Amino acid sequence: GVVFLAVMQEQADSSTPASEAAARWAATHQLTHPVLADAEKAADPFAAIGGGYPTYPVIGPDMTIIKSDLFPPNANDLTALLESQGIW
């Protein structure tokens, strides 16, 4: 299967997010995938992979990076990428 995750590192006012803020933001935008609060900015290395935020790395089932940044994200490109890798 495919798992989508979002990571929130700061809120619009640049304050550190809490889990509750991430959950409210996800609900506001009607997101159905998990949105994690990263107050410690542990996900910062992913920005270096794609060149900045937002970054959309695609990581395979074996935990290798299939594509460093699928930006701008769209269903057709993601489907084609997963099909080319035999994942979808």
Side-chain angles (χ1 to χ4, degrees), residues 4-88:
F4 294 89
L5 297 173
V7 179
M8 175 187 274
Q9 289 191 316
E10 62 183 38
Q11 299 184 94
D13 64 2
S14 298
S15 65
T16 301
S19 296
E20 299 80 24
R24 278 193 309 276
W25 182 81
T28 298
H29 295 284
Q30 300 176 338
L31 301 178
T32 58
H33 60 279
V35 177
L36 311 173
D38 182 21
E40 301 298 318
K41 298 192 188 242
D44 266 353
F46 283 106
I49 293 169
Y53 289 111
T55 303
Y56 296 88
V58 180
I59 301 170
D62 62 353
M63 299 307 291
T64 60
I65 298 172
I66 296 171
K67 184 157 180 78
S68 62
D69 193 6
L70 187 68
F71 185 83
N74 69 71
N76 292 336
D77 289 347
L78 179 58
T79 300
L81 178 63
L82 295 178
E83 285 175 347
S84 75
Q85 298 292 312
I87 298 170
W88 191 275

